[in-house]
Amino acid sequence: MKILVPVKRVVDYNVKVRVKSDRSGVELSGVKMAINPFDEISVEEAVRLKEAGTATEVIAVSCGSAASQETLRTALAMGADRAILVETDAELQPLAVGKLLKAVAEREQPQLVICGKQAIDDDANQTGQILAALMGWGQATFASKVVVEGETLRVTREIDGGLETLELKLPAVVTSDLRLNEPRYATLPNIMKAKKKPLDVIPVADLGVDVAPRLRHTQYSEPPTRKAGIKVADVADLIAKLKNDAKVI
Amino acid sequence: MKVLVIAEHDNTKIAGATLNAVGAAQQFGAEVQVLVAGCDSAAAANEAAALAGVAGVVSVNAPYYRDQPVENLAVLVAGLVRNEGFTAVLAGGTSFGKNLAPRIAALLDVAPVSDVVSIAGVGRYVRPIYAGNVMVSVESDEPVQVLTVRTTAFAAASAGGAAAVREVVAGEDLAVSRLVGREISKSERPELATARIVVSGGRGLGSGDKYREVLEPLADRLGAALGASRAAVDAGYVPNDYQVGQTGKIVAPDLYVAVGISGAIQHLAGMKDSKVIVAINKDPDAPIFQVADFGLVGDLFETIPQLVDGLGANQ
Ligand SMILES: Cc1cc2nc3c(=O)[nH]c(=O)nc-3n(C[C@H](O)[C@H](O)[C@H](O)COP(=O)(O)OP(=O)(O)OC[C@H]3O[C@@H](n4cnc5c(N)ncnc54)[C@H](O)[C@@H]3O)c2cc1C
């Protein structure tokens, strides 16, 4: 079974981003970038399925600029076998990414695609669902457990009220939630080995997909910051403030 | 313009988030219909029909909608949009809505917009990105607007309507997924997403036993829902549905009490719109104090029992 794992290069989760002074976007120059944490979990899951003998090949794919090669190398260092960059400097929105991934899936014929449930930059939580729809495949989003049983997939999902377990026909799309696994750290020898693993670059134009943005992001702003509060002296003070000032209890 | 709100339900009752989605749909100032797709779902359909501002309920029943598999629902909704000329489709920004809306949009070849917090007109929205650290204004000319809406940002529709329920024929059964089972957490407490008061615990609690021993009496006193940080969920103190934050639940109660939670941006993303925030933490430099209206520096194992006693004595 081949597994395709889409990965995205995003601002590192520890960075507090700032809006540009002209409000045209988010300041990205000089900001630390990293693999989207949910995609890292997806790579880990795919590599584990390969280590267990369930998967035969793990292919990482990223859509974006040449800098995304770095993100793909991270996936290779974690254990992906090869990588594909669908290269463009243009802005890509989730619908376009879904279409590009469909084109890649049609070439590669994976049985399973494991995406992150959301990217921590746009927080859209859309790409896996879009890809599944375009392929006509089943989807299991927000996965916390994935088991392959022959031609079926058993996935436990985190839903608002608790957990839900689904059985899906393969091929299918899974999106990872935080508790699916704890990703490994790439070791230095594996980082070195990753440099020699194949990484194909496909120009976006070669896939014949219309990737023009459908949405316009007209203005970025920072949300109003909360007024600085106070420190209370002790529990009695806290109770008094909640009763008399805030009147919430 | 015609708006279709997708109801989230269990065939008997409509979920709270759907009431907020109906509230959001009314911002378009257009006709709002609600889809209730299920099996033997008349009770849920009637509840939807009784909501103020709902012009009609589209009811669809088939055994293969009982558990509402997303693949079947998406095909059904896309068909309804094409046949009946809906120009907007809305769902609450819950795990149900987030799972479904992008799939519908893809079938219609339109770009969906997630987690909308304000609607200024057709195709004019505001939504948070970067864990709520940035707000972005989005414009869309898509012929069908497909949105999920953040439930805390829109008032829930109230009862008081009397719309007609119309039964339409079921769509295709794709039969690509099957529900094996659900483990729904049961609690006597208010629902986390809509509670007026939330008491949340983090890694500072140290264990599931301590979490319950220390926080349950406080939640009992306050009539509060219980929540948690990711660290507390990952460590197994409480189930996943307790998690508040960027990737958990978004809450905006009147009072949020953060106990032994450091205040990572991913946690703040889920609670910083609360009206009053109280933080109890032994580290005076914990970032949670930057958003707290009232901060108490101290050991939670001493201060929370004192707080429980103090509240009891005063009531
Ligand atoms: C992609 C991604 C998504 C994430 N999504 C979420 C999310 O949705 N929600 C979320 O919460 N986190 C999320 N996180 C995790 C987040 O970054 C933090 O790791 C997490 O919130 C920390 O939880 P905590 O505050 O309980 O633990 P810690 O950061 O370890 O804080 C524990 C706090 O308890 C205090 N403490 C310890 N003992 C005591 C005591 N006896 N008395 C008083 N205080 C005490 C300490 O001073 C400390 O401040 C996400 C992270 C990533 C990378």
Side-chain angles (χ1 to χ4, degrees), chain A residues 99 121 123-124 126 137 139 141 160 163-165 167 179 214 216 219 221 226 230 232 243, chain B residues 99 103 109 114 130 135 137 139 178 180-183 234 243 249 272 274 293 295 314:
Chain A
K99 291 178 179 179
D121 50 3
D123 281 334
Q126 297 174 344
W137 293 355
Q139 75 189 42
T141 49
D160 289 333
L163 296 170
E164 157 180 301
T165 302
E167 228 169 59
R179 280 167 284 276
R214 302 282 188 88
R216 293 182 300 280
Q219 198 183 82
S221 61
R226 288 185 77 93
I230 55 161
V232 294
K243 286 207 158 146
Chain B
N99 189 35
R103 189 160 180 122
D109 191 25
S114 301
Y130 288 96
M135 307 302 288
S137 304
E139 289 182 8
R178 184 179 77 82
V180 178
R182 288 196 180 120
E183 287 170 49
D234 284 3
Q243 183 175 317
K249 293 207 170 76
K272 69 181 156 68
S274 305
D293 300 283
N314 278 314

mmCIF file of all heavy atoms in Angstrom, chain A residues 99 121 123-124 126 137 139 141 160 163-165 167 179 214 216 219 221 226 230 232 243, chain B residues 99 103 109 114 130 135 137 139 178 180-183 234 243 249 272 274 293 295 314:
data_model
loop_
_atom_site.group_PDB
_atom_site.id
_atom_site.type_symbol
_atom_site.label_atom_id
_atom_site.label_comp_id
_atom_site.label_asym_id
_atom_site.label_seq_id
_atom_site.Cartn_x
_atom_site.Cartn_y
_atom_site.Cartn_z
ATOM 1 N N LYS A 99 -7.004 20.343 -5.617
ATOM 2 C CA LYS A 99 -6.962 19.932 -7.030
ATOM 3 C C LYS A 99 -5.565 19.466 -7.428
ATOM 4 O O LYS A 99 -5.418 18.516 -8.202
ATOM 5 C CB LYS A 99 -7.417 21.091 -7.916
ATOM 6 C CG LYS A 99 -8.895 21.391 -7.764
ATOM 7 C CD LYS A 99 -9.313 22.580 -8.609
ATOM 8 C CE LYS A 99 -10.806 22.836 -8.450
ATOM 9 N NZ LYS A 99 -11.239 23.995 -9.249
ATOM 10 N N ASP A 121 -1.336 28.080 10.007
ATOM 11 C CA ASP A 121 -1.304 29.477 9.550
ATOM 12 C C ASP A 121 -2.710 29.953 9.188
ATOM 13 O O ASP A 121 -3.275 30.800 9.853
ATOM 14 C CB ASP A 121 -0.293 29.681 8.410
ATOM 15 C CG ASP A 121 -0.441 28.680 7.264
ATOM 16 O OD1 ASP A 121 -1.363 27.839 7.305
ATOM 17 O OD2 ASP A 121 0.375 28.742 6.325
ATOM 18 N N ASP A 123 -5.429 28.078 9.403
ATOM 19 C CA ASP A 123 -6.410 27.382 10.241
ATOM 20 C C ASP A 123 -7.672 26.986 9.473
ATOM 21 O O ASP A 123 -8.767 26.966 10.037
ATOM 22 C CB ASP A 123 -6.816 28.248 11.461
ATOM 23 C CG ASP A 123 -5.768 28.198 12.587
ATOM 24 O OD1 ASP A 123 -5.036 27.200 12.677
ATOM 25 O OD2 ASP A 123 -5.692 29.167 13.371
ATOM 26 N N ALA A 124 -7.511 26.676 8.176
ATOM 27 C CA ALA A 124 -8.714 26.473 7.352
ATOM 28 C C ALA A 124 -9.396 25.129 7.620
ATOM 29 O O ALA A 124 -10.610 25.042 7.605
ATOM 30 C CB ALA A 124 -8.374 26.603 5.874
ATOM 31 N N GLN A 126 -9.544 22.365 5.697
ATOM 32 C CA GLN A 126 -10.334 22.086 4.495
ATOM 33 C C GLN A 126 -9.708 21.100 3.522
ATOM 34 O O GLN A 126 -10.441 20.382 2.819
ATOM 35 C CB GLN A 126 -10.563 23.405 3.710
ATOM 36 C CG GLN A 126 -11.365 24.444 4.464
ATOM 37 C CD GLN A 126 -11.447 25.770 3.734
ATOM 38 O OE1 GLN A 126 -10.674 26.037 2.815
ATOM 39 N NE2 GLN A 126 -12.384 26.603 4.139
ATOM 40 N N TRP A 137 -13.626 9.677 -2.633
ATOM 41 C CA TRP A 137 -13.217 8.729 -1.603
ATOM 42 C C TRP A 137 -13.880 9.045 -0.261
ATOM 43 O O TRP A 137 -14.329 10.165 -0.023
ATOM 44 C CB TRP A 137 -11.695 8.796 -1.378
ATOM 45 C CG TRP A 137 -10.872 8.323 -2.549
ATOM 46 C CD1 TRP A 137 -11.330 7.763 -3.715
ATOM 47 C CD2 TRP A 137 -9.441 8.385 -2.658
ATOM 48 N NE1 TRP A 137 -10.254 7.471 -4.529
ATOM 49 C CE2 TRP A 137 -9.094 7.833 -3.912
ATOM 50 C CE3 TRP A 137 -8.420 8.847 -1.808
ATOM 51 C CZ2 TRP A 137 -7.765 7.737 -4.333
ATOM 52 C CZ3 TRP A 137 -7.103 8.746 -2.234
ATOM 53 C CH2 TRP A 137 -6.785 8.190 -3.491
ATOM 54 N N GLN A 139 -13.735 9.770 3.811
ATOM 55 C CA GLN A 139 -12.823 10.591 4.605
ATOM 56 C C GLN A 139 -13.044 10.327 6.087
ATOM 57 O O GLN A 139 -14.178 10.124 6.535
ATOM 58 C CB GLN A 139 -13.017 12.083 4.292
ATOM 59 C CG GLN A 139 -14.272 12.687 4.901
ATOM 60 C CD GLN A 139 -14.562 14.098 4.405
ATOM 61 O OE1 GLN A 139 -14.423 14.402 3.207
ATOM 62 N NE2 GLN A 139 -14.980 14.970 5.304
ATOM 63 N N THR A 141 -11.783 12.459 9.227
ATOM 64 C CA THR A 141 -11.034 13.617 9.710
ATOM 65 C C THR A 141 -10.805 13.506 11.218
ATOM 66 O O THR A 141 -11.494 12.754 11.906
ATOM 67 C CB THR A 141 -11.826 14.906 9.423
ATOM 68 O OG1 THR A 141 -13.161 14.717 9.889
ATOM 69 C CG2 THR A 141 -11.861 15.207 7.934
ATOM 70 N N ASP A 160 -16.873 16.457 18.809
ATOM 71 C CA ASP A 160 -17.157 17.379 19.910
ATOM 72 C C ASP A 160 -17.615 16.682 21.181
ATOM 73 O O ASP A 160 -17.275 17.099 22.267
ATOM 74 C CB ASP A 160 -18.203 18.416 19.478
ATOM 75 C CG ASP A 160 -17.613 19.401 18.487
ATOM 76 O OD1 ASP A 160 -16.388 19.610 18.538
ATOM 77 O OD2 ASP A 160 -18.364 19.936 17.665
ATOM 78 N N LEU A 163 -15.617 10.509 21.170
ATOM 79 C CA LEU A 163 -14.917 9.774 20.112
ATOM 80 C C LEU A 163 -15.914 9.030 19.246
ATOM 81 O O LEU A 163 -17.002 8.670 19.694
ATOM 82 C CB LEU A 163 -13.943 8.757 20.726
ATOM 83 C CG LEU A 163 -12.788 9.307 21.546
ATOM 84 C CD1 LEU A 163 -12.070 8.175 22.265
ATOM 85 C CD2 LEU A 163 -11.812 10.079 20.667
ATOM 86 N N GLU A 164 -15.497 8.791 17.997
ATOM 87 C CA GLU A 164 -16.335 8.038 17.068
ATOM 88 C C GLU A 164 -15.417 7.131 16.250
ATOM 89 O O GLU A 164 -14.330 7.539 15.885
ATOM 90 C CB GLU A 164 -17.066 9.048 16.178
ATOM 91 C CG GLU A 164 -17.540 8.535 14.870
ATOM 92 C CD GLU A 164 -18.266 9.609 14.042
ATOM 93 O OE1 GLU A 164 -19.280 10.153 14.509
ATOM 94 O OE2 GLU A 164 -17.803 9.886 12.929
ATOM 95 N N THR A 165 -15.838 5.909 15.993
ATOM 96 C CA THR A 165 -15.025 5.006 15.168
ATOM 97 C C THR A 165 -15.745 4.715 13.864
ATOM 98 O O THR A 165 -16.933 4.398 13.857
ATOM 99 C CB THR A 165 -14.732 3.697 15.924
ATOM 100 O OG1 THR A 165 -14.071 4.033 17.142
ATOM 101 C CG2 THR A 165 -13.822 2.787 15.110
ATOM 102 N N GLU A 167 -15.506 2.845 9.840
ATOM 103 C CA GLU A 167 -14.850 1.901 8.961
ATOM 104 C C GLU A 167 -15.002 2.440 7.543
ATOM 105 O O GLU A 167 -16.103 2.799 7.140
ATOM 106 C CB GLU A 167 -15.536 0.541 9.074
ATOM 107 C CG GLU A 167 -14.576 -0.596 9.255
ATOM 108 C CD GLU A 167 -15.326 -1.851 9.635
ATOM 109 O OE1 GLU A 167 -16.198 -2.278 8.842
ATOM 110 O OE2 GLU A 167 -15.048 -2.382 10.718
ATOM 111 N N ARG A 179 -3.566 13.831 18.876
ATOM 112 C CA ARG A 179 -3.271 12.651 19.687
ATOM 113 C C ARG A 179 -3.099 11.372 18.876
ATOM 114 O O ARG A 179 -3.082 10.285 19.424
ATOM 115 C CB ARG A 179 -4.337 12.493 20.770
ATOM 116 C CG ARG A 179 -4.070 13.421 21.945
ATOM 117 C CD ARG A 179 -5.226 13.552 22.889
ATOM 118 N NE ARG A 179 -6.260 14.399 22.350
ATOM 119 C CZ ARG A 179 -6.274 15.718 22.430
ATOM 120 N NH1 ARG A 179 -5.296 16.354 23.015
ATOM 121 N NH2 ARG A 179 -7.254 16.418 21.919
ATOM 122 N N ARG A 214 -9.626 31.973 -5.330
ATOM 123 C CA ARG A 214 -11.040 32.334 -5.447
ATOM 124 C C ARG A 214 -11.434 33.366 -4.392
ATOM 125 O O ARG A 214 -12.440 34.037 -4.526
ATOM 126 C CB ARG A 214 -11.903 31.093 -5.236
ATOM 127 C CG ARG A 214 -11.628 29.953 -6.194
ATOM 128 C CD ARG A 214 -12.258 30.208 -7.541
ATOM 129 N NE ARG A 214 -12.141 29.021 -8.378
ATOM 130 C CZ ARG A 214 -13.033 28.017 -8.389
ATOM 131 N NH1 ARG A 214 -14.100 28.074 -7.615
ATOM 132 N NH2 ARG A 214 -12.854 26.989 -9.168
ATOM 133 N N ARG A 216 -10.482 36.697 -1.884
ATOM 134 C CA ARG A 216 -9.568 37.832 -1.722
ATOM 135 C C ARG A 216 -9.435 38.141 -0.239
ATOM 136 O O ARG A 216 -10.440 38.283 0.462
ATOM 137 C CB ARG A 216 -10.112 39.072 -2.458
ATOM 138 C CG ARG A 216 -10.134 38.931 -3.963
ATOM 139 C CD ARG A 216 -10.641 40.200 -4.626
ATOM 140 N NE ARG A 216 -12.006 40.539 -4.191
ATOM 141 C CZ ARG A 216 -13.104 39.967 -4.673
ATOM 142 N NH1 ARG A 216 -13.025 39.048 -5.626
ATOM 143 N NH2 ARG A 216 -14.295 40.325 -4.225
ATOM 144 N N GLN A 219 -7.935 42.567 4.047
ATOM 145 C CA GLN A 219 -7.313 43.312 5.139
ATOM 146 C C GLN A 219 -7.000 42.410 6.313
ATOM 147 O O GLN A 219 -7.824 41.572 6.689
ATOM 148 C CB GLN A 219 -8.243 44.422 5.608
ATOM 149 C CG GLN A 219 -7.488 45.465 6.410
ATOM 150 C CD GLN A 219 -8.418 46.540 6.932
ATOM 151 O OE1 GLN A 219 -9.075 46.365 7.947
ATOM 152 N NE2 GLN A 219 -8.472 47.644 6.221
ATOM 153 N N SER A 221 -5.719 42.283 10.376
ATOM 154 C CA SER A 221 -5.615 43.131 11.562
ATOM 155 C C SER A 221 -5.374 42.261 12.775
ATOM 156 O O SER A 221 -5.583 41.044 12.734
ATOM 157 C CB SER A 221 -6.900 43.943 11.753
ATOM 158 O OG SER A 221 -7.986 43.065 11.924
ATOM 159 N N ARG A 226 -6.764 42.337 25.202
ATOM 160 C CA ARG A 226 -7.520 42.497 26.445
ATOM 161 C C ARG A 226 -6.835 43.536 27.316
ATOM 162 O O ARG A 226 -5.624 43.620 27.343
ATOM 163 C CB ARG A 226 -7.566 41.177 27.189
ATOM 164 C CG ARG A 226 -8.453 40.148 26.556
ATOM 165 C CD ARG A 226 -8.521 38.925 27.429
ATOM 166 N NE ARG A 226 -9.392 39.114 28.580
ATOM 167 C CZ ARG A 226 -10.673 38.792 28.603
ATOM 168 N NH1 ARG A 226 -11.238 38.261 27.556
ATOM 169 N NH2 ARG A 226 -11.400 38.979 29.687
ATOM 170 N N ILE A 230 -5.539 42.696 36.905
ATOM 171 C CA ILE A 230 -4.823 42.928 38.154
ATOM 172 C C ILE A 230 -4.514 41.597 38.831
ATOM 173 O O ILE A 230 -5.141 40.585 38.546
ATOM 174 C CB ILE A 230 -5.642 43.797 39.138
ATOM 175 C CG1 ILE A 230 -7.028 43.145 39.372
ATOM 176 C CG2 ILE A 230 -5.804 45.208 38.615
ATOM 177 C CD1 ILE A 230 -7.701 43.631 40.624
ATOM 178 N N VAL A 232 -4.711 39.702 42.331
ATOM 179 C CA VAL A 232 -5.417 39.829 43.610
ATOM 180 C C VAL A 232 -4.517 39.314 44.730
ATOM 181 O O VAL A 232 -3.623 38.496 44.490
ATOM 182 C CB VAL A 232 -6.760 39.072 43.594
ATOM 183 C CG1 VAL A 232 -7.717 39.711 42.613
ATOM 184 C CG2 VAL A 232 -6.565 37.601 43.281
ATOM 185 N N LYS A 243 -17.521 39.003 42.845
ATOM 186 C CA LYS A 243 -18.902 39.298 43.251
ATOM 187 C C LYS A 243 -19.248 40.763 43.011
ATOM 188 O O LYS A 243 -20.278 41.072 42.428
ATOM 189 C CB LYS A 243 -19.079 38.995 44.745
ATOM 190 C CG LYS A 243 -19.122 37.512 45.003
ATOM 191 C CD LYS A 243 -19.920 37.189 46.248
ATOM 192 C CE LYS A 243 -20.362 35.741 46.129
ATOM 193 N NZ LYS A 243 -20.410 35.050 47.384
ATOM 194 N N ASN B 99 -16.063 19.059 9.204
ATOM 195 C CA ASN B 99 -15.884 17.839 8.414
ATOM 196 C C ASN B 99 -16.660 17.931 7.104
ATOM 197 O O ASN B 99 -16.196 17.495 6.059
ATOM 198 C CB ASN B 99 -16.389 16.654 9.248
ATOM 199 C CG ASN B 99 -16.069 15.305 8.648
ATOM 200 O OD1 ASN B 99 -15.017 15.121 8.039
ATOM 201 N ND2 ASN B 99 -16.977 14.366 8.817
ATOM 202 N N ARG B 103 -16.253 19.561 2.045
ATOM 203 C CA ARG B 103 -16.594 18.481 1.105
ATOM 204 C C ARG B 103 -17.731 18.931 0.181
ATOM 205 O O ARG B 103 -17.699 18.670 -1.021
ATOM 206 C CB ARG B 103 -16.970 17.202 1.875
ATOM 207 C CG ARG B 103 -17.118 16.017 0.970
ATOM 208 C CD ARG B 103 -17.026 14.679 1.644
ATOM 209 N NE ARG B 103 -17.197 13.655 0.625
ATOM 210 C CZ ARG B 103 -16.319 12.689 0.345
ATOM 211 N NH1 ARG B 103 -15.211 12.586 1.029
ATOM 212 N NH2 ARG B 103 -16.554 11.830 -0.628
ATOM 213 N N ASP B 109 -17.388 22.947 -6.621
ATOM 214 C CA ASP B 109 -16.249 23.703 -7.145
ATOM 215 C C ASP B 109 -16.268 25.175 -6.703
ATOM 216 O O ASP B 109 -16.092 26.088 -7.501
ATOM 217 C CB ASP B 109 -16.162 23.606 -8.677
ATOM 218 C CG ASP B 109 -14.833 24.165 -9.200
ATOM 219 O OD1 ASP B 109 -13.849 24.172 -8.444
ATOM 220 O OD2 ASP B 109 -14.795 24.615 -10.370
ATOM 221 N N SER B 114 -13.937 29.096 6.327
ATOM 222 C CA SER B 114 -14.077 28.436 7.624
ATOM 223 C C SER B 114 -14.159 29.435 8.764
ATOM 224 O O SER B 114 -13.494 30.472 8.722
ATOM 225 C CB SER B 114 -12.849 27.560 7.913
ATOM 226 O OG SER B 114 -12.683 26.591 6.918
ATOM 227 N N TYR B 130 -4.010 32.085 12.251
ATOM 228 C CA TYR B 130 -2.883 32.048 13.191
ATOM 229 C C TYR B 130 -3.374 31.965 14.643
ATOM 230 O O TYR B 130 -3.029 32.807 15.476
ATOM 231 C CB TYR B 130 -1.965 33.256 13.004
ATOM 232 C CG TYR B 130 -1.147 33.199 11.735
ATOM 233 C CD1 TYR B 130 -1.578 33.847 10.584
ATOM 234 C CD2 TYR B 130 0.049 32.492 11.686
ATOM 235 C CE1 TYR B 130 -0.840 33.792 9.412
ATOM 236 C CE2 TYR B 130 0.801 32.425 10.516
ATOM 237 C CZ TYR B 130 0.356 33.076 9.392
ATOM 238 O OH TYR B 130 1.088 33.025 8.232
ATOM 239 N N MET B 135 -6.822 38.657 12.453
ATOM 240 C CA MET B 135 -8.154 38.564 11.858
ATOM 241 C C MET B 135 -8.007 38.962 10.394
ATOM 242 O O MET B 135 -7.296 39.919 10.079
ATOM 243 C CB MET B 135 -9.133 39.534 12.543
ATOM 244 C CG MET B 135 -9.201 39.418 14.059
ATOM 245 S SD MET B 135 -9.649 37.785 14.648
ATOM 246 C CE MET B 135 -11.378 37.756 14.194
ATOM 247 N N SER B 137 -10.048 39.878 6.673
ATOM 248 C CA SER B 137 -11.298 40.134 5.952
ATOM 249 C C SER B 137 -11.229 39.378 4.639
ATOM 250 O O SER B 137 -10.249 39.471 3.912
ATOM 251 C CB SER B 137 -11.454 41.624 5.656
ATOM 252 O OG SER B 137 -11.374 42.357 6.855
ATOM 253 N N GLU B 139 -13.130 38.280 0.974
ATOM 254 C CA GLU B 139 -14.191 38.561 -0.005
ATOM 255 C C GLU B 139 -14.284 37.403 -0.985
ATOM 256 O O GLU B 139 -13.270 36.865 -1.421
ATOM 257 C CB GLU B 139 -13.891 39.852 -0.769
ATOM 258 C CG GLU B 139 -14.049 41.078 0.109
ATOM 259 C CD GLU B 139 -13.805 42.381 -0.647
ATOM 260 O OE1 GLU B 139 -13.661 42.338 -1.890
ATOM 261 O OE2 GLU B 139 -13.752 43.415 0.015
ATOM 262 N N ARG B 178 -18.732 3.616 7.281
ATOM 263 C CA ARG B 178 -19.753 3.050 8.153
ATOM 264 C C ARG B 178 -19.383 3.385 9.585
ATOM 265 O O ARG B 178 -18.207 3.289 9.963
ATOM 266 C CB ARG B 178 -19.739 1.532 7.956
ATOM 267 C CG ARG B 178 -20.792 0.765 8.707
ATOM 268 C CD ARG B 178 -20.682 -0.728 8.392
ATOM 269 N NE ARG B 178 -19.563 -1.351 9.107
ATOM 270 C CZ ARG B 178 -19.615 -1.753 10.377
ATOM 271 N NH1 ARG B 178 -20.722 -1.595 11.091
ATOM 272 N NH2 ARG B 178 -18.570 -2.307 10.945
ATOM 273 N N VAL B 180 -18.940 2.620 13.270
ATOM 274 C CA VAL B 180 -18.807 1.425 14.110
ATOM 275 C C VAL B 180 -19.359 1.721 15.505
ATOM 276 O O VAL B 180 -20.059 0.907 16.096
ATOM 277 C CB VAL B 180 -17.331 0.980 14.195
ATOM 278 C CG1 VAL B 180 -17.184 -0.220 15.111
ATOM 279 C CG2 VAL B 180 -16.795 0.676 12.804
ATOM 280 N N GLY B 181 -19.054 2.901 16.017
ATOM 281 C CA GLY B 181 -19.587 3.253 17.327
ATOM 282 C C GLY B 181 -19.164 4.632 17.758
ATOM 283 O O GLY B 181 -18.239 5.227 17.194
ATOM 284 N N ARG B 182 -19.900 5.173 18.744
ATOM 285 C CA ARG B 182 -19.534 6.475 19.316
ATOM 286 C C ARG B 182 -19.400 6.312 20.817
ATOM 287 O O ARG B 182 -20.187 5.594 21.440
ATOM 288 C CB ARG B 182 -20.608 7.528 19.030
ATOM 289 C CG ARG B 182 -20.640 7.962 17.599
ATOM 290 C CD ARG B 182 -21.430 9.267 17.387
ATOM 291 N NE ARG B 182 -21.396 9.584 15.951
ATOM 292 C CZ ARG B 182 -22.471 9.695 15.167
ATOM 293 N NH1 ARG B 182 -23.679 9.602 15.676
ATOM 294 N NH2 ARG B 182 -22.341 9.949 13.889
ATOM 295 N N GLU B 183 -18.392 6.938 21.356
ATOM 296 C CA GLU B 183 -18.260 7.004 22.823
ATOM 297 C C GLU B 183 -18.475 8.453 23.197
ATOM 298 O O GLU B 183 -17.567 9.277 23.095
ATOM 299 C CB GLU B 183 -16.825 6.647 23.256
ATOM 300 C CG GLU B 183 -16.451 5.201 23.152
ATOM 301 C CD GLU B 183 -14.953 5.038 23.362
ATOM 302 O OE1 GLU B 183 -14.423 5.589 24.356
ATOM 303 O OE2 GLU B 183 -14.327 4.409 22.515
ATOM 304 N N ASP B 234 -3.625 15.382 26.731
ATOM 305 C CA ASP B 234 -2.588 14.460 26.237
ATOM 306 C C ASP B 234 -2.102 13.532 27.354
ATOM 307 O O ASP B 234 -1.800 12.366 27.120
ATOM 308 C CB ASP B 234 -1.375 15.235 25.688
ATOM 309 C CG ASP B 234 -1.653 15.839 24.319
ATOM 310 O OD1 ASP B 234 -2.787 15.706 23.835
ATOM 311 O OD2 ASP B 234 -0.719 16.438 23.744
ATOM 312 N N GLN B 243 -10.855 19.568 25.681
ATOM 313 C CA GLN B 243 -9.795 20.497 25.276
ATOM 314 C C GLN B 243 -10.325 21.824 24.753
ATOM 315 O O GLN B 243 -11.171 21.881 23.882
ATOM 316 C CB GLN B 243 -8.914 19.862 24.194
ATOM 317 C CG GLN B 243 -7.745 20.754 23.790
ATOM 318 C CD GLN B 243 -6.814 20.063 22.806
ATOM 319 O OE1 GLN B 243 -6.506 18.897 22.976
ATOM 320 N NE2 GLN B 243 -6.383 20.775 21.789
ATOM 321 N N LYS B 249 -12.054 23.137 21.651
ATOM 322 C CA LYS B 249 -13.288 23.920 21.592
ATOM 323 C C LYS B 249 -12.995 25.400 21.791
ATOM 324 O O LYS B 249 -12.057 25.773 22.486
ATOM 325 C CB LYS B 249 -14.245 23.447 22.679
ATOM 326 C CG LYS B 249 -14.741 22.039 22.408
ATOM 327 C CD LYS B 249 -16.109 21.801 23.027
ATOM 328 C CE LYS B 249 -16.677 20.489 22.541
ATOM 329 N NZ LYS B 249 -16.052 19.341 23.180
ATOM 330 N N LYS B 272 -9.911 33.420 24.853
ATOM 331 C CA LYS B 272 -9.617 34.820 25.174
ATOM 332 C C LYS B 272 -10.786 35.762 24.912
ATOM 333 O O LYS B 272 -10.727 36.930 25.271
ATOM 334 C CB LYS B 272 -8.339 35.284 24.482
ATOM 335 C CG LYS B 272 -8.387 35.430 22.988
ATOM 336 C CD LYS B 272 -7.001 35.876 22.517
ATOM 337 C CE LYS B 272 -6.712 35.539 21.092
ATOM 338 N NZ LYS B 272 -7.430 36.206 20.077
ATOM 339 N N SER B 274 -13.562 35.246 26.421
ATOM 340 C CA SER B 274 -14.392 35.128 27.623
ATOM 341 C C SER B 274 -14.552 36.508 28.248
ATOM 342 O O SER B 274 -13.667 37.347 28.151
ATOM 343 C CB SER B 274 -13.715 34.205 28.642
ATOM 344 O OG SER B 274 -13.433 32.958 28.063
ATOM 345 N N ASP B 293 -8.158 38.926 33.861
ATOM 346 C CA ASP B 293 -8.654 40.116 34.563
ATOM 347 C C ASP B 293 -8.250 40.055 36.022
ATOM 348 O O ASP B 293 -7.912 41.066 36.623
ATOM 349 C CB ASP B 293 -10.177 40.171 34.452
ATOM 350 C CG ASP B 293 -10.620 40.231 33.007
ATOM 351 O OD1 ASP B 293 -10.513 41.323 32.424
ATOM 352 O OD2 ASP B 293 -11.023 39.188 32.457
ATOM 353 N N GLY B 295 -5.724 37.801 38.497
ATOM 354 C CA GLY B 295 -4.718 36.753 38.612
ATOM 355 C C GLY B 295 -4.415 36.488 40.068
ATOM 356 O O GLY B 295 -4.295 37.413 40.878
ATOM 357 N N ASN B 314 -20.032 32.229 51.411
ATOM 358 C CA ASN B 314 -20.666 33.461 50.978
ATOM 359 C C ASN B 314 -22.042 33.268 50.354
ATOM 360 O O ASN B 314 -22.690 34.237 50.003
ATOM 361 C CB ASN B 314 -19.761 34.173 49.978
ATOM 362 C CG ASN B 314 -18.684 34.974 50.678
ATOM 363 O OD1 ASN B 314 -18.969 35.681 51.627
ATOM 364 N ND2 ASN B 314 -17.460 34.815 50.240
#
